[in-house]
Amino acid sequence: MNQTCILTKEMEQKIIETPHEFADICPIEDKDVNQKLNQLIEDPGFRFFIEFIMPGVDYEKYCEGLSTITSKYDFQAKYSCSYLQLVEKSTTSGITSNGVKELNPATSYTFITNHRDIVLDASFLNLELWRNGFPTSEVAIGNNLLAFNWIETLVKLNKSFIVKRDTTTKGRLAAAIQLSHYIHFAINQKHESIWIAQRQGRAKDSNDLTQDSLVKMLTIGGECANPIESLKKLNIAPVSLSYEFDPNDYLKATEFLMKKKNPDFKKSQNDDVISMLTGIRGFKGRIHFEFTPCINDQLDQIPADLEKQEKIHRVCHIIDKAIHANYHLYPCNYIAYDRLNGTNTYADMYTESDIAYFNKYLNRRIEKVKVHTNDEEKAFMRERILEMYANPLINKNKALGLM
């Protein structure tokens, strides 16, 4: 394994005790890692998961090494990152990144990205950090995805912290306060970078927009009267992630169809588990991460006399523009745009071979839909999938002033 992938022991040894007020949402402490891992090994659900994502694995032999792990650092270095490289090799055409070397190793960042895949967005981002000798980030994950106790244990072992979503109206404020204070604690006291998506849930149509509520939540923990000063403490660095193909595109299109038929349709927890497994094992083509600079200098340009809501809106726009302008586009994005609009505007960006491949790909995606559909419904889903691939191009053109 490339030695640049190995983090320094100084990174592992920085131990800051997490206050009790964050005990229910924070990653597992290193002192508890071995105990939690040994409990995890005995869980039938975890065994099923490992044997599903690693067909043919000798589970007992796999667990012999796992049972000796005593820190999150070792767990990621010996297991998580190694597995992610296998996923990269078997389900992608390669992962690339740009801008990582421009990060300051002494600075902890809040990486805010667009959101495509439940598991792999943050996982592959951390893989790129790890390969370049940077510490991996802590990862925000909604508790709506933690269908089983073993999943919560696994993600917390992998440096995840929990975002409480299944709360009452009153509970939402308390959860937001706790979450914001934890993020500020992680950045400024534990000196851990964190990853969080720009919105709750994935943008099903790939029209990536930062939610005001996310930025408002981030301002709370800074305990500053000026929300901009609170945000500057977090060193927000947007990251634009681009998948050539989305393994969940047909599932997202199915969800659009179900909601068209029944506006009250809601996915089950089992649907989220299926999405996670589909995202891990499905083909993704090429993947690119574009790390952009910390936005603190841009935050300083926001007029101090603006109303708070307008300041939040300006911050969202800064994040969105950084993400949109730095999309890495593929032939499928250009083909989808021309197909939707009945044009050949981008014909020089793809070949006849690209068109044939994408046509075959689209047909296969529609064939994978499990619900019964007629021709009209199939056409509806096909259009939704085309929108998923066209929207990054549209947003990039707007960000660059080309549309």
Side-chain angles (χ1 to χ4, degrees), residues 21 30 37 42 54 59 74 76 89 93 134 163 170 174 176 179 184 227 233 266 294 309 352 358-359 391:
E21 65 190 276
D30 278 352
L37 272 171
E42 299 300 320
M54 300 173 66
Y59 186 73
D74 279 342
Q76 289 195 319
K89 184 176 180 181
S93 301
F134 286 84
V163 180
K170 182 179 178 180
L179 178 62
H184 279 265
K233 292 182 178 183
K266 292 186 183 300
C294 174
Q309 183 57 40
E352 289 298 323
F358 190 57
N359 286 341
N391 276 335

Side-chain angles (χ1 to χ4, degrees), residues 97-330:
S97 64
N98 186 52
V100 182
K101 296 296 186 182
E102 305 306 315
L103 300 175
N104 183 347
T107 299
S108 298
Y109 295 94
T110 298
F111 296 115
I112 296 182
T113 77
N114 51 317
H115 195 16
R116 290 286 180 274
D117 186 89
I118 294 172
V119 174
L120 294 179
D121 291 352
S123 298
F124 280 151
L125 179 142
N126 274 338
L127 180 62
E128 284 303 292
L129 290 172
W130 183 70
R131 282 170 165 162
N132 285 278
F134 286 84
T136 57
S137 65
E138 292 193 2
V139 172
I141 184 169
N143 65 347
N144 58 301
L145 302 174
L146 310 179
F148 306 102
N149 289 334
W150 67 265
I151 297 179
E152 180 170 350
T153 299
L154 179 61
V155 299
K156 283 188 169 186
L157 283 166
N158 210 31
K159 292 180 67 175
S160 290
F161 58 94
I162 308 304
V163 180
K164 297 176 182 176
R165 301 209 192 282
D166 56 347
T167 59
T168 62
T169 301
K170 182 179 178 180
R172 270 189 220 110
L173 177 58
I177 292 171
Q178 181 192 35
L179 178 62
S180 186
H181 278 92
Y182 177 74
I183 290 172
H184 279 265
F185 167 76
I187 293 286
N188 295 298
Q189 295 186 53
K190 284 206 297 182
H191 303 293
E192 293 274 5
S193 291
I194 69 113
W195 171 90
I196 194 164
Q198 67 180 163
R199 54 173 291 148
Q200 178 178 329
R202 295 163 294 165
K204 302 295 192 300
D205 59 0
S206 301
N207 184 24
D208 303 308
L209 297 171
T210 304
Q211 285 182 322
D212 285 8
S213 57
L214 168 72
V215 177
K216 287 178 184 176
M217 179 276 293
L218 293 174
T219 68
I220 299 171
E223 299 182 335
C224 297
N226 185 342
I228 299 302
E229 292 305 313
S230 288
L231 293 173
K232 285 171 62 178
K233 292 182 178 183
L234 296 177
N235 302 315
I236 295 172
V239 182
S240 183
L241 62 89
S242 307
Y243 290 76
E244 185 172 16
F245 297 106
D246 181 350
N248 278 293
D249 51 16
Y250 74 97
L251 294 176
K252 294 174 183 178
T254 303
E255 186 177 348
F256 276 121
L257 177 63
M258 299 306 291
K259 286 186 175 180
K260 181 185 179 185
K261 289 180 165 184
N262 175 16
D264 295 325
F265 171 80
K266 292 186 183 300
K267 291 190 305 176
S268 67
Q269 278 193 317
N270 188 55
D271 290 328
D272 285 327
V273 173
I274 291 171
S275 291
M276 285 191 273
L277 295 176
T278 302
I280 291 171
R281 295 193 65 178
F283 179 66
K284 292 162 274 290
R286 290 168 284 184
I287 300 173
H288 183 77
F289 289 86
E290 189 73 24
F291 291 79
T292 72
C294 174
I295 65 172
N296 282 354
D297 287 347
Q298 294 181 70
L299 295 182
D300 282 334
Q301 303 306 310
I302 296 176
D305 59 351
L306 291 179
E307 293 291 331
K308 180 178 179 180
Q309 183 57 40
E310 180 57 27
K311 289 179 180 178
I312 298 298
H313 180 73
R314 296 276 185 102
V315 175
C316 290
H317 178 71
I318 290 170
I319 295 170
D320 290 345
K321 187 172 183 179
I323 291 173
H324 295 169
N326 287 285
Y327 284 135
H328 192 87
L329 299 175
Y330 306 99

